Amino acid sequence: EKGEQRAQALQLFREMADSRVERNTITYNATISACKKGEQWVHALQLFREMADSRVERNTITYSAAVSACEKGEQWTQALQFFREMADSRVERNPISYCAAISACEKGEQ
């Protein structure tokens, strides 16, 4: 049931574009987080990349959610890449982003 709810969240997000409702940092973050919780890390990463293509600002919450999605998907190298990119993009790291990166390393046994 929860997987279905996560899929519904992704569908609603896609409908926003069809309805010409502006998708912004907040709506992307919410959808990335829904994908993360639904263990749909591939969709979360697609949305993360789509933000850059659409010139939507990525903030600490965005990066933390992407790192966490990679951690849940056991994609530790990608998680660390996003974590490092935060500093390169001058996005503030917070305890949540550090914990997600540490957890990704633990799952990757690195």
Side-chain angles (χ1 to χ4, degrees), residues 17 20 66 73:
R20 292 187 171 89

Side-chain angles (χ1 to χ4, degrees), residues 13-60:
F13 179 78
R14 295 288 180 215
E15 285 179 17
M16 290 179 72
D18 296 339
S19 300
R20 292 187 171 89
V21 175
E22 180 183 0
R23 298 185 296 186
N24 60 23
T25 303
I26 295 168
T27 58
Y28 271 98
N29 289 351
T31 309
I32 290 171
S33 291
C35 289
K36 169 191 73 173
K37 292 175 185 171
E39 298 181 10
Q40 298 175 0
W41 66 272
V42 173
H43 292 296
L45 299 188
Q46 288 172 343
L47 291 168
F48 183 85
R49 290 186 178 107
E50 184 180 303
M51 289 179 78
D53 295 341
S54 300
R55 301 190 192 283
V56 175
E57 179 184 2
R58 296 185 289 192
N59 61 18
T60 301

Side-chain angles (χ1 to χ4, degrees), residues 56-105:
V56 175
E57 179 184 2
R58 296 185 289 192
N59 61 18
T60 301
I61 295 168
T62 311
Y63 276 95
S64 295
V67 170
S68 187
C70 291
E71 176 261 325
K72 300 260 188 247
E74 299 182 5
Q75 304 297 312
W76 69 271
T77 53
Q78 184 66 59
L80 291 180
Q81 182 178 336
F82 285 141
F83 184 74
R84 289 185 187 110
E85 188 179 311
M86 290 178 81
D88 295 341
S89 299
R90 299 180 187 211
V91 174
E92 181 181 352
R93 295 173 176 171
N94 66 11
I96 294 169
S97 55
Y98 274 98
C99 285
I102 290 166
S103 183
C105 290

